């Protein structure tokens, strides 16, 4: 029998993102209200004033136009309090050369971390590991990635999966291995080959009857939101 710890929360793909109230650097929020029907990314950091986290948050600060272009709201979390977050933010802005434009959740009682299963005690005592949750406009969890404390996240990969998720939410397609925006996509089995142009805007190239490729239709920002 697998070892399961109910105290540590379990969120699965397709679940409604759990709601919560929390203090943040932008004031108190109720998460579902804050989502407001947008795509969103929630990511956790082990602690304030830690080196890997400082580089990650600085990268998100610099990538503001990329998240905005995709209509994605961003919110971070660490287990320290708002005063500590504010002091740390000044450092991050200085190191990154870009202001912190998104809220950071303070989670000293581990309420949110526990709800989302961000605490992996065998990896890192009672602090949060590097979790990433992508949430769609219907508040469903569409992607989860978990990194250990020692490995900083790849933000090109996070932007790439946001692009992939927004394509697959809008069109009956999936993305092949190593897909990047502009490359061909896989047509869903539900679409007959001769309907491809009407449905995704390009003819399908049939490599196998079960593997048909179509051009990337892209996603306009208004469609992504
Ligand atoms: C870091 O962000 O550098 C870090 C945080 C917790 C444990 C190890 C490293």
């Amino acid at each position: 029998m697998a070892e399961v710890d109910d105290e540590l929360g379990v969120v699965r793909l397709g679940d409604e993102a759990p709601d919560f109230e929390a203090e943040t650097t932008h004031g108190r929020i109720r998460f579902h209200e804050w989502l407001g029907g947008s795509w969103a990314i929630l990511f956790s950091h082990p602690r304030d004033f830690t080196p890997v986290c400082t580089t990650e948050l600085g990268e998100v600060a610099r990538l503001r136009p990329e998240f905005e272009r995709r209509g994605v709201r961003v919110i971070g979390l660490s287990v320290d309090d708002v005063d500590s977050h504010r002091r740390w933010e000044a450092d991050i802005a200085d190191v990154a050369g870009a202001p912190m434009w998104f809220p950071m959740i303070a989670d000293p009682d581990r309420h949110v971390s526990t709800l989302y299963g961000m605490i992996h005690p065998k990896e890192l005592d009672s602090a949060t590991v590097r979790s990433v949750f992508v949430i769609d406009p219907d508040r469903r969890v569409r992607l989860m990635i978990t990194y250990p404390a020692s490995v900083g996240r790849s933000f090109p990969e996070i932007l790439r999966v946001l692009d992939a998720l927004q394509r697959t939410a809008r069109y009956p397609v999936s993305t092949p291995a190593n897909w990047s925006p502009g490359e061909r996509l896989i047509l869903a089995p539900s679409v007959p080959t001769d309907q491809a142009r009407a449905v995704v805007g390009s003819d399908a190239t049939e490599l196998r009857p079960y593997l048909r490729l179509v051009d990337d239709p892209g996603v306009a920002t208004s469609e992504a939101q």
Side-chain angles (χ1 to χ4, degrees):
M1 197 74 175
E3 188 187 340
V4 175
D5 190 337
D6 291 338
E7 299 279 297
L8 295 175
V10 179
V11 175
R12 294 196 171 87
L13 295 184
D15 286 352
E16 181 174 62
D19 196 18
F20 57 84
E21 263 187 49
E23 297 298 335
T24 80
T25 49
H26 292 195
R28 192 163 184 85
I29 62 157
R30 175 162 281 285
F31 189 55
H32 281 184
E33 275 170 25
W34 179 86
L35 287 170
S38 290
W39 285 88
I41 180 162
L42 163 65
F43 59 107
S44 61
H45 297 271
R47 274 186 295 275
D48 292 1
F49 298 99
T50 46
V52 177
C53 300
T54 300
T55 63
E56 290 184 313
L57 289 167
E59 188 61 10
V60 179
R62 281 192 293 267
L63 288 173
R64 180 174 192 167
E66 296 297 329
F67 289 106
E68 288 184 346
R69 192 158 64 78
R70 291 164 176 82
V72 177
R73 306 201 76 183
V74 174
I75 191 161
L77 174 150
S78 109
V79 296
D80 294 306
D81 63 24
V82 166
D83 285 346
S84 166
H85 286 356
R86 291 220 171 95
R87 288 195 304 276
W88 188 29
E89 282 187 352
D91 261 3
I92 296 165
D94 196 30
V95 171
M100 290 278 286
W101 51 274
F102 55 93
M104 282 290 290
I105 297 167
D107 194 32
D109 65 1
R110 310 327 192 235
H111 172 66
V112 181
S113 321
T114 303
L115 198 58
Y116 276 78
M118 292 166 168
I119 296 179
H120 297 213
K122 289 175 190 161
E123 164 70 12
L124 199 64
D125 295 336
S126 59
T128 43
V129 293
R130 299 183 197 288
S131 300
V132 181
F133 295 88
V134 176
I135 300 164
D136 75 12
D138 295 325
R139 304 201 293 241
R140 298 281 149 198
V141 175
R142 289 291 164 213
L143 176 114
M144 299 185 296
I145 316 177
T146 307
Y147 292 72
S150 56
V151 178
R153 280 164 273 221
S154 165
F155 286 92
E157 169 60 3
I158 289 171
L159 294 175
R160 188 194 77 88
V161 291
L162 283 169
D163 287 332
L165 286 165
Q166 292 186 339
R167 296 301 193 283
T168 59
R170 174 74 180 82
Y171 297 101
V173 293
S174 46
T175 61
N178 301 329
W179 178 84
S180 290
E183 295 176 357
R184 290 190 299 174
L185 298 150
I186 296 169
L187 186 62
S190 57
V191 182
T193 302
D194 63 4
Q195 296 292 305
R197 180 163 287 279
V199 176
V200 297
S202 78
D203 292 329
T205 303
E206 196 170 290
L207 300 184
R208 292 288 183 276
Y210 59 86
L211 175 54
R212 298 161 306 151
L213 299 177
V214 291
D215 292 342
D216 178 7
V219 174
T221 304
S222 57
E223 290 170 341
Q225 286 172 335

